[in-house]
């Protein structure tokens, strides 16, 4: 039971350990899943919001490039148209410019250019929408020189410093092939840049050489966009008029659709605007996307954390319940322990009482045995004493009648009986010592004769038909003759008692040879009482008080057992009782001993 419990405990511990491992693995898997979920959703959301941003960038780039192209185209047309204006040509021919500036101011009111200027053949401003410019010379300006050489509209960018930056469309004014002057319009691109500056994204325009020429961020102007330009190209660019170009601090690692400038990542949209290889760039800051993604991620992480908290809570509640259960169980165990110790104490007490009781019982049984023994002794001695009384009475009669020979025989018989009694007491003494008496080979026929001689007077007195059938050859057993006789006398006396009231009284005594010798004593009495086994119990008797003690058969059965045999009783079919005294034959005993 202990082993089973131990096994149960080990089994329980193993199960608990397994469960804990499974729980840990599950927690690990859940954590990994959560990380994977966060990672995947981060990617997904970034893509999603980037898509939105990309669309917006596309739209903005389209709008800005459209409006830029529109402005440029509008301004581009004006110098060519004004170059054919009769009033301007006349003014230049005549050198009379009184009305010319008013005319230019008028035109510019519609156009909205930064300035509209008319230069004479020497580059001096003779008329302008801004009268403050009148009289100044533009002879060294590239747009004047290019237009003077050319026949069509030229475009030129002037200055690299913020204040003298200008975008000019210029057209020569000719009459009959000779140059009269140059008409130029300065496009107000600064205004457009101001419009871009209001956008959250960055807008800039690069020329065909990747130099930023327009930008919503003033700082970026005249910088090279591409960080990958070769040294030679940079050198060539530097030799040009734009002079000392700086490169935009573009992060090299990010290229293509994304750009990282001054630590900010942008989504880049390019659009060729179809004017001198210019490209409009729209940069949408990615941090907006990041902010949105972060907001959703924060929500997601919060939900996950909440779920983890709920699971943890449920788990801890379960653990708490388990703890309570454990506490209750240990309380029950303690209670059980208390009860067990109480029971053990009680048992010890009972054991002590039992020991005391046993002691007194032993004492009692000793006394009982003593009583039984005294009863047995008096019982066994009564038989020969009764026989002796008869012999004495017989001897007295014989002596009175002077039949001395016969009296001597009676006296001899009495002597035999006294010898028997002496032997009997010795026997009882040895019985007390148990097994003290030595066994010898005995012829059963002698024992039968001995018993019959003890019973002779009583058998004769009641006119009993005695049938004996003894084998011719000796029936040898290893035994104590006197004790066999003792058994047989008991059986004969019981038979005598049983048949006493029968009209015809018969007792048979036979020895049947075989593996066991069986001495059979049968009578034609009323038979045994219903509970046959009970007759061998000490003090069982059906006889009147004073007639029987109920010890004869108990003693006889004990003797039979001591001699290695047994005593059995049964009823005969025709009525009457049959007692069988089984004793192992001497040869068999010898063989068995061997
Ligand atoms: P006791 O003779 O003193 O009664 P026993 O032990 O010799 O004691 O016998 C016990 C009982 O067995 C007798 O009282 C009697 O009832 C029964 N009994 C013994 N032998 C016979 C017999 N031959 N026929 C009938 N009953 C018998």
């Amino acid at each position: 039971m202990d082993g089973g419990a131990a096994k149960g405990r080990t089994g329980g511990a193993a199960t608990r350990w397994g469960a804990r491992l499974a729980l840990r693995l599950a927690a690990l898997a859940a954590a990994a899943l959560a990380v994977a979920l966060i990672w995947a959703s981060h990617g997904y959301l970034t893509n999603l919001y980037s898509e939105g941003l990309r669309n917006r960038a596309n739209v903005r780039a389209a709008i800005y490039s459209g409006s830029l192209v529109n402005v440029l185209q509008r301004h581009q047309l004006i110098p060519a148209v004004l170059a054919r204006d009769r009033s301007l040509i006349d003014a230049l021919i005549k050198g009379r410019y009184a009305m010319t500036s008013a005319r230019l101011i008028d035109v510019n009111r519609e156009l909205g250019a930064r300035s509209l200027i008319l230069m004479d053949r020497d580059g001096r401003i003779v008329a302008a929408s801004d009268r403050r410019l009148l009289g100044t010379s533009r002879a060294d300006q590239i747009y004047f020189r290019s237009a003077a050489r050319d026949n069509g509209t030229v475009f030129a960018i002037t200055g690299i410093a913020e204040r003298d930056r200008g975008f000019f469309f210029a057209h020569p004014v000719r009459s009959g092939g000779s140059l009269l002057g140059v008409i130029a319009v300065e496009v107000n691109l600064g205004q457009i840049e101001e419009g871009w500056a209001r956008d959250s994204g960055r807008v800039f325009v690069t020329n065909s050489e990747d130099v930023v020429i327009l930008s919503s961020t003033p700082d970026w102007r005249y910088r090279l966009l591409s960080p990958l330009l070769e040294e030679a190209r940079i050198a060539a660019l530097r030799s040009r008029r734009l002079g000392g170009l700086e490169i935009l601090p573009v992060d090299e690692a990010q290229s293509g659709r994304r750009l990282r400038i001054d630590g900010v990542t942008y989504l880049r949209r390019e659009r060729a605007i179809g004017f001198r290889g210019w490209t409009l760039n729209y940069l949408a800051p990615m941090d907006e996307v990041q902010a949105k993604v972060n907001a959703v991620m924060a929500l997601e992480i919060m939900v996950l954390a909440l779920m983890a908290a709920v699971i943890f809570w449920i788990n801890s509640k379960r653990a708490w319940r388990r703890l309570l259960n454990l506490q209750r169980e240990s309380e029950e165990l303690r209670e059980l322990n208390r009860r067990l110790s109480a029971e053990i104490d009680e048992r010890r007490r009972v054991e002590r009482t039992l020991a005391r009781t046993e002691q007194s019982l032993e004492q009692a049984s000793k006394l009982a045995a003593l009583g039984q023994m005294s009863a047995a002794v008096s019982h066994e001695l009564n038989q020969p004493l009764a026989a002796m009384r008869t012999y004495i009475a017989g001897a007295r009669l014989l002596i009175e009648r002077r039949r001395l020979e016969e009296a001597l025989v009676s006296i001899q018989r009495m002597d035999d009986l006294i010898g028997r009694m002496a032997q009997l007491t010795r026997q009882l003494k040895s019985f007390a010592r148990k097994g003290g008496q030595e066994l010898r080979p005995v012829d059963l026929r002698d024992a039968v004769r001995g018993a019959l001689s003890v019973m002779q007077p009583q058998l004769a007195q009641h006119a009993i038909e005695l049938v004996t059938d003894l084998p011719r050859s000796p029936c040898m057993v290893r035994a104590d003759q006197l004790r066999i006789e003792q058994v047989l006398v008991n059986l004969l006396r019981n038979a005598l008692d049983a048949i006493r009231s029968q009209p015809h009284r018969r007792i048979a005594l036979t020895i049947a040879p075989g593996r066991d010798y069986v001495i059979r004593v049968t009578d034609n009495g009323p038979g045994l009482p219903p509970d046959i086994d009970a007759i061998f119990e000490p003090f069982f008797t059906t006889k009147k008080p004073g007639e029987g003690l109920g010890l004869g058969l108990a003693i006889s059965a004990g003797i039979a057992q001591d001699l290695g045999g047994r005593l059995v009783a049964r009823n005969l079919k025709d009525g009457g009782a049959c007692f069988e005294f089984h004793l192992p034959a001497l040869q068999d005993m010898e063989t068995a001993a061997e």
Side-chain angles (χ1 to χ4, degrees), residues 21 24 90 94 222 245 301 420:
L21 186 75
R24 274 191 196 155
D90 285 350
K94 291 174 186 160
Y222 311 117
L245 295 173
I301 289 170
R420 265 188 68 78

Side-chain angles (χ1 to χ4, degrees), residues 320-350:
W320 182 243
R321 211 174 306 139
R322 218 176 296 143
L323 191 79
L324 280 183
N325 270 353
L326 263 176
Q327 254 175 3
R328 207 182 45 233
E329 269 172 25
S330 60
E331 187 54 47
E332 281 170 7
L333 265 177
R334 265 200 293 278
E335 174 58 30
L336 199 74
N337 234 355
R338 262 199 299 279
R339 278 215 304 273
L340 262 176
S341 343
E343 259 174 43
I344 287 169
D345 285 349
E346 174 66 16
R347 182 171 294 183
R348 280 205 189 114
R349 211 173 50 73
V350 169

Side-chain angles (χ1 to χ4, degrees), residues 379 490-491 493-499 521 523 525-529 534-537 539-543 547-555 571 576-579:
H379 177 82
N490 271 330
L491 296 180
R493 194 171 47 81
N494 277 343
L496 198 70
D497 287 343
I499 55 175
V521 180
D523 60 61
L528 298 166
I535 59 174
F536 293 104
E537 280 168 20
F539 305 107
F540 174 87
T541 180
T542 52
K543 296 171 189 168
E547 281 182 19
L549 278 169
L551 275 174
L553 284 179
I555 290 170
N571 277 320
C578 170
F579 283 85

Side-chain angles (χ1 to χ4, degrees), residues 7 16 41 57 59 90 100 117 119 124 140 177 193 285 311 326 364 395 403 446 464 475 489 588:
K7 217 157 122 195
R16 264 206 302 285
S41 55
V59 170
D90 285 350
T100 319
I117 51 175
M119 290 149 284
R124 197 169 54 90
D140 58 339
E193 283 177 323
I311 289 170
L326 263 176
R403 285 155 62 180
D446 291 344
I464 285 159
C475 310
V489 165
D588 270 8

Side-chain angles (χ1 to χ4, degrees), residues 487 491 494 518-523 527-537 540 553-554 556-557 560 566-573 576-582:
V487 173
L491 296 180
N494 277 343
V518 182
I519 308 167
R520 205 167 277 129
V521 180
T522 53
D523 60 61
L528 298 166
D531 189 2
I532 293 178
D533 286 339
I535 59 174
F536 293 104
E537 280 168 20
F540 174 87
L553 284 179
S556 301
R566 64 206 156 90
L567 187 64
V568 284
R570 61 189 163 85
N571 277 320
L572 290 174
K573 259 187 261 154
C578 170
F579 283 85
E580 289 178 348
F581 184 11
H582 295 247

Side-chain angles (χ1 to χ4, degrees), residues 71-72 75 113-115 155 166-169 185-190:
V71 166
L72 287 170
H75 287 75
R114 195 165 169 203
S115 64
F155 178 77
F167 301 88
F168 291 91
F169 285 108
V185 57
E186 188 184 356
V187 189
N188 196 358
L189 292 180

